[in-house]
Amino acid sequence: MAGVGVEPLQGMVRFGLLVLTVCAAGARGLYFHIGETEKRCFIEEIPDETMVIGNYRTQMWDKQKEVFLPSTPGLGMHVEVKDPDGKVVLSRQYGSEGRFTFTSHTPGDHQICLHSNSTRMALFAGGKLRVHLDIQVGEHANNYPEIAAKDKLTELQLRARQLLDQVEQIQKEQDYQRYREERFRLTSESTNQRVLCWSIAQTVILILTGIWQMRHLKSFFEAKKLV
């Protein structure tokens, strides 16, 4: 019975891990607490040309009932997104519950920040907000039931569309991993070059110091007529 080579197995394992990573990282749901005008930021690694959808809703702490209740319509949330170069991709004011969407054009770490613009005295009196945030990346951001209804797709056609989107997202993830590897390689080469230059500089300084010490000692001995 013919055995399977090590390299093909390693390639299959890497591909499987990448698929699991893409599927696991497609959507992130969490909640956090913020105070008056406090800003909370998150870092999301996103490949280029990838759509990201964020859904959020806020709850306000009720001191009398000691429970989080849905926020009033007058409460606003400001969402700001910056790409790896620090350029603002999205900066917009939303309500107490909303949805924001943007498409990445540069691969890397994107900063997503949210903060409240409310000036209600209840928050100044030690209150707080609970923000529920759900971030969907890539094909997970697609609303497939809506796509199927709009394009009149059968179940088989919809499944094929989902698989094509997943393959496209995996390709983007692979391109992003190559981009990261290239950046890491350039950084490593730059660091090694600097270490080499510093080592050469230290060696030159030591040699020059030794020559100076020998000349100084020779002059000292000649002055004392010991040589």
Side-chain angles (χ1 to χ4, degrees), residues 127-223:
K128 58 184 176 180
L129 286 176
R130 172 178 288 179
V131 182
H132 298 262
L133 177 64
D134 179 35
I135 298 177
Q136 299 176 339
V137 181
E139 84 279 358
H140 295 275
N142 294 331
N143 189 343
Y144 286 105
E146 181 179 342
I147 294 175
K150 181 179 179 181
D151 297 339
K152 298 181 180 180
L153 301 177
T154 64
E155 183 177 355
L156 181 60
Q157 291 174 331
L158 180 62
R159 184 56 181 167
R161 173 71 177 270
Q162 291 176 330
L163 291 175
L164 288 175
D165 290 341
Q166 289 178 0
V167 170
E168 182 180 357
Q169 184 63 26
I170 291 173
Q171 181 64 41
K172 291 179 180 179
E173 290 287 344
Q174 290 178 331
D175 293 339
Y176 177 59
Q177 293 300 327
R178 293 192 203 94
Y179 170 76
R180 290 186 60 185
E181 290 175 359
E182 180 67 17
R183 289 186 59 186
F184 180 76
R185 183 183 64 81
L186 294 175
T187 302
S188 299
E189 291 179 354
S190 176
T191 302
N192 293 335
Q193 186 69 24
R194 292 178 182 179
V195 171
L196 177 61
C197 293
W198 176 244
S199 300
I200 294 175
Q202 283 183 317
T203 303
V204 171
I205 291 173
L206 288 174
I207 293 174
L208 294 177
T209 302
I211 294 175
W212 178 82
Q213 287 180 341
M214 292 177 62
R215 292 175 63 90
H216 180 72
L217 289 175
K218 182 179 180 181
S219 300
F220 174 77
F221 289 143
E222 288 178 349

Side-chain angles (χ1 to χ4, degrees), residues 23-42:
C23 294
R28 290 173 173 80
L30 55 90
Y31 74 86
F32 55 91
H33 296 150
I34 58 174
E36 175 67 22
T37 67
E38 180 183 354
K39 180 183 288 188
R40 187 64 62 88
C41 296
F42 302 90

Side-chain angles (χ1 to χ4, degrees), residues 88-120:
V88 177
V89 178
L90 173 68
S91 181
R92 184 177 174 183
Q93 193 71 32
Y94 295 89
S96 59
E97 181 176 352
R99 171 179 177 175
F100 59 91
T101 305
F102 68 93
T103 301
S104 63
H105 299 290
T106 304
D109 294 336
H110 286 66
Q111 186 182 65
I112 304 174
C113 298
L114 297 92
H115 68 86
S116 168
N117 69 333
S118 174
T119 56
R120 292 172 59 90

